[in-house]
């Protein structure tokens, strides 16, 4: 074979990637090819000019990288929060305002339904609200929430596994878990000397005018469903009819339908027993140690409320800063030490003065999470109207 032919074959071989550069160099020198020519051939291969095609790449196994998260700009000068009453420590807002130079307004509500009705108008002006789990599903279906921008929430990692990726927000796309708790019975030990253990307490005519139940459809009807061994998420017509009968039996004994504000009446002794949440009961107990709390033997509700951003909010960066701020262990610990509820934040729980332990599997047997009633909501709304006006 002529030098010329051999040289051409060698150059083609390196171009096709059949031999590596070292082998090419060895062979080319052996053929007596000049260093200048060798350099030109290798340069052409490395710049890709007529370079050999790489073997076809294996199809990618990794999912495509998510699009980069948006930049939210600087922290706005104001932030508007709408949340349950008595649900944040005294100094949380003031400390945030000082550190972030952001003026916060904090309005309160007493039920998920009250909050959703306001947000649904589209003109509430609120940036952050605090729905319970089932209400997150309701808000998601109504497209009332905005997705979180996670790069602004490094403290999200503090959330305990129990409250991470919940059924109502499996991707952690919308919610920052705030507090969790249970709905049971608060009572005055000095007035009711045999500790109650059943929702039947509210059927006891001897307590007429001294007891209250919550002004909250889910908690109220839910309790009567549990009383008869049913799910507190039932939409079965017969179950609901039985719940209504029990609610109407209790009604003449009730001083009022009232939620969180009943604490003051328990403290003063105007009310001896009230359907209430565990944390609000603890707030009352801090003022009067005669107050205690039980979970009825028939079962009760457990829930976890979350902070979410309202669709179209104006102060998105400030909202993220607030969420990341309350996820700090020491800030979260102070909130839960004040509210008396459990913190879904593992690091905050560890930093609490009196941590509320997470429910055990044994306790969970007697507790049930509230879920969205979906198509059954209308029947519940109707029932609640009948109970309250009947
Ligand atoms: C507010 C307690 C709210 C709990 N004080 C309702 N899930």
């Amino acid at each position: 074979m002529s030098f010329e032919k051999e040289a051409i074959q060698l150059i083609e071989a390196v171009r096709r990637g059949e031999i590596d550069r070292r082998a090419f160099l060895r062979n080319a020198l052996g053929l007596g090819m000049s260093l200048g020519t060798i350099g030109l051939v290798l340069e052409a291969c490395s710049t890709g000019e007529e370079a050999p095609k790489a073997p076809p790449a294996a199809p990618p196994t990794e999912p495509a990288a998510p699009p980069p998260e948006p930049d939210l700009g600087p922290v706005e000068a104001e932030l508007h929060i709408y949340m349950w009453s008595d649900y944040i420590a005294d100094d949380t807002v003031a400390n945030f305002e000082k550190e972030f130079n952001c003026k916060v307004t904090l309005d309160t509500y007493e039920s998920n339904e009250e909050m959703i009705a306001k947000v649904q108008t589209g003109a509430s002006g609120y940036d952050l609200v605090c729905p319970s789990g089932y209400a997150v599903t309701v808000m998601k279906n109504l497209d009332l929430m905005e997705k979180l921008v996670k790069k602004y929430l490094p403290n999200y990692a503090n959330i305990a596994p129990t409250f991470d990726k919940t059924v109502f927000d499996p991707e952690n796309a919308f919610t920052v878990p705030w507090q969790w708790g249970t709905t049971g019975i608060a009572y005055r030990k000095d007035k009711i000397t045999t500790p109650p253990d059943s929702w039947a307490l509210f059927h006891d005519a001897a307590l007429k005018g001294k007891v209250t139940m919550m002004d909250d459809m889910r908690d109220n009807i839910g309790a009567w469903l549990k009383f008869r061994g049913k799910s507190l998420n039932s939409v079965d017509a017969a179950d609901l009819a039985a719940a209504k009968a029990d609610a109407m039996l209790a009604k003449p004994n009730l001083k009022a339908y009232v939620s969180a504000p009943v604490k003051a009446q328990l403290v003063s002794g105007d009310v001896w027993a009230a359907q209430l949440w565990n944390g609000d009961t603890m707030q009352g107990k801090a003022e009067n140690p005669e107050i205690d709390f039980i979970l009825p033997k028939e079962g009760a509700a457990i829930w976890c409320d979350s902070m979410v951003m309202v669709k179209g909010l104006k102060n998105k960066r400030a909202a993220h800063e607030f969420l990341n701020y309350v996820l700090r262990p020491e800030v979260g610990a102070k909130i839960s030490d004040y509210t008396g509820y459990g913190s879904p934040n593992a690091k905050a729980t560890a930093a609490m003065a009196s941590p509320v332990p997470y429910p055990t599997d044994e306790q969970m047997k007697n507790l049930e999470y509230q879920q969205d009633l979906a198509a059954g909501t209308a029947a519940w709304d109707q029932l609640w109207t009948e109970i309250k006006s009947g």
Side-chain angles (χ1 to χ4, degrees):
M1 200 188 299
S2 69
F3 161 76
E4 200 178 303
K5 209 167 176 192
E6 267 196 84
I8 289 170
Q9 279 182 354
L10 196 56
I11 290 169
E12 284 306 323
V14 73
R15 279 182 176 161
R16 286 194 299 269
E18 288 164 0
I19 59 169
D20 66 19
R21 285 155 178 265
R22 193 173 304 203
F24 171 74
L25 183 63
R26 214 177 31 244
N27 287 299
L29 285 173
L31 274 175
M33 203 183 283
S34 76
L35 282 175
T37 309
I38 293 170
L40 282 174
V41 171
L42 290 178
E43 200 189 354
C45 290
S46 68
T47 55
E49 188 189 316
E50 290 184 39
K53 295 274 177 286
T61 49
E62 295 287 313
E69 294 189 297
D71 204 325
L72 300 179
V75 178
E76 298 85 357
E78 52 188 86
L79 179 66
H80 303 277
I81 304 174
Y82 193 36
M83 70 151 56
W84 301 84
S85 63
D86 302 324
Y87 219 26
I88 191 164
D90 289 341
D91 59 356
T92 314
V93 162
N95 291 344
F96 173 82
E97 286 181 320
K98 214 181 297 163
E99 184 173 333
F100 291 89
N101 197 22
C102 173
K103 175 89 190 94
V104 178
T105 61
L106 180 69
D107 295 338
T108 60
Y109 56 84
E110 300 297 336
S111 74
N112 286 298
E113 288 67 29
E114 185 184 344
M115 178 273 287
I116 291 173
K118 201 151 200 178
V119 168
Q120 231 180 328
T121 64
S124 70
Y126 293 120
D127 298 301
L128 290 169
V129 296
C130 190
S132 302
Y134 78 89
V136 169
T137 310
V138 174
M139 291 184 74
K140 194 189 248 169
N141 293 338
L142 293 170
D143 193 23
L144 294 178
M145 299 184 296
E146 201 82 46
K147 278 197 175 164
L148 299 167
V149 181
K150 288 293 183 48
K151 71 178 178 189
Y152 293 104
L153 300 173
N155 294 336
Y156 205 103
N158 296 342
I159 295 295
T162 320
F163 297 100
D164 195 38
K165 302 194 169 137
T166 51
V167 281
F168 49 86
D169 188 18
E171 305 291 325
N172 290 343
F174 299 100
T175 61
V176 174
W178 177 257
Q179 307 283 280
W180 69 272
T182 54
T183 308
I185 299 174
Y187 73 104
R188 284 279 301 250
K189 290 184 283 185
D190 54 340
K191 310 279 189 195
I192 300 177
T193 47
T194 310
D197 68 350
S198 164
W199 293 114
L201 180 83
F202 297 103
H203 285 161
D204 185 351
L207 296 173
K208 191 178 168 82
K210 289 292 178 193
V211 293
T212 65
M213 289 190 81
M214 285 212 283
D215 192 9
D216 185 298
M217 172 176 97
R218 294 305 306 263
D219 277 328
N220 198 305
I221 299 172
W224 293 120
L225 284 166
K226 290 310 263 186
F227 180 58
R228 297 289 171 187
K230 306 298 178 189
S231 163
L232 50 74
N233 296 307
S234 177
V235 293
D236 176 86
D239 292 354
L240 291 178
K244 182 183 174 187
D246 282 319
M248 295 313 286
L249 204 59
K251 194 171 177 182
N253 298 332
L254 303 183
K255 186 177 162 72
Y257 290 108
V258 53
S259 301
V262 78
K263 293 190 290 285
Q265 298 174 61
L266 281 164
V267 169
S268 71
D270 286 348
V271 167
W272 293 359
Q275 182 190 24
L276 193 56
W277 301 298
N278 61 325
D280 279 67
T281 306
M282 291 307 125
Q283 292 173 34
K285 191 178 171 73
E287 283 183 55
N288 187 335
E290 292 296 340
I291 297 172
D292 227 330
F293 181 80
I294 64 106
L295 286 172
K297 61 179 181 224
E298 299 94 357
I302 180 170
W303 37 260
C304 182
D305 301 336
S306 299
M307 290 295 261
V308 304
M309 289 188 296
V310 174
K311 191 85 184 177
L313 76 167
K314 294 223 166 58
N315 304 298
K316 204 167 185 179
R317 178 68 194 274
H320 280 85
E321 289 306 336
F322 184 81
L323 296 175
N324 197 50
Y325 172 77
V326 296
L327 282 168
R328 290 181 193 171
E330 67 286 2
V331 177
K334 224 167 166 189
I335 292 171
S336 288
D337 274 331
Y338 171 84
T339 65
Y341 289 104
S343 174
N345 180 324
K347 289 200 177 154
T349 301
M352 279 171 73
S354 18
V356 180
Y358 293 146
T360 61
D361 290 348
E362 192 54 33
Q363 289 166 325
M364 278 307 295
K365 287 186 191 151
N366 207 29
L367 296 170
E368 190 179 1
Y369 273 99
Q370 296 167 330
Q371 286 161 17
D372 177 25
L373 302 168
T377 306
W380 274 65
D381 282 342
Q382 171 69 20
L383 199 69
W384 185 228
T385 306
E386 287 168 14
I387 291 168
K388 284 189 77 175
S389 63

